Amino acid sequence: MGKRKRLVAEKRKEENKTSFFAKLNNCPTSPRKMRQVADLVRGKDAYLALNILKFNTREASGRLEKLLKSAIANYEAKSQTRAEEGTLFVKEVMVDSALMVKRLRTAPQGRGYRIRKRTNHVTLILDTKNI
């Protein structure tokens, strides 16, 4: 590894020590459906977002709820303090498209229709409110 690349990697590692996040890779939900649920909680208080996700009927909300709980646990582990109501909020939720599995569905007259089974990567970043 070159010197410049090592310096950039060390800088990124130092930033990760002070940021509280959780990642979900290759989630078998289409990115569009996940973004609709992510828009509900972006910028909200962490525990309010948990309640929103818990009572939402979409399948993607269950996966995002689990991810948010993981991010809160990461906050508690890194900062050695208990996450209290009103101190944490969802700073950023990024949903990126991931691997697309392509399948073929039979169609009339010897044709085949392509089916794309989409997946996504979700990154959830928490931050503390400065009071």
Side-chain angles (χ1 to χ4, degrees):
M1 187 181 332
K3 185 176 181 181
R4 181 183 53 84
K5 201 170 184 180
R6 184 178 295 111
L7 290 174
V8 171
E10 289 172 1
K11 182 181 174 188
R12 190 176 344 106
K13 285 179 186 176
E14 287 299 318
E15 289 173 0
N16 282 345
K17 288 180 183 176
T18 58
S19 66
F20 315 107
F21 66 96
K23 287 183 76 170
L24 174 64
N25 287 332
N26 297 321
C27 177
T29 308
S30 75
R32 183 172 182 231
K33 292 176 184 178
M34 186 62 85
R35 279 188 198 106
Q36 289 175 338
V37 176
D39 289 340
L40 294 173
V41 297
R42 189 175 285 120
K44 298 269 196 304
D45 182 63
Y47 289 100
L48 176 64
L50 270 177
N51 284 333
I52 290 170
L53 293 172
K54 185 175 185 175
F55 295 107
N56 196 337
T57 58
R58 289 179 174 259
E59 182 184 344
S61 64
R63 297 166 201 246
L64 208 57
E65 178 189 3
K66 191 172 179 181
L67 186 68
L68 181 56
K69 286 179 181 177
S70 176
I72 291 171
N74 289 343
Y75 166 78
E76 290 175 350
K78 282 185 178 179
S79 66
Q80 302 294 324
T81 58
R82 188 96 174 105
E84 298 167 7
E85 188 105 15
T87 58
L88 285 176
F89 72 98
V90 180
K91 180 181 179 183
E92 232 178 305
V93 182
M94 293 177 288
V95 180
D96 304 318
S97 62
L99 178 72
M100 193 184 316
V101 180
K102 293 174 180 149
R103 297 285 181 257
L104 212 59
R105 170 165 285 160
T106 56
Q109 297 182 354
R111 289 191 301 260
Y113 294 147
R114 178 172 282 181
I115 294 177
R116 296 184 304 257
K117 297 188 176 189
R118 300 170 190 267
T119 59
N120 63 56
H121 300 315
V122 186
T123 306
L124 193 139
I125 301 173
L126 294 178
D127 202 5
T128 55
K129 293 181 182 176
N130 294 331
I131 298 173

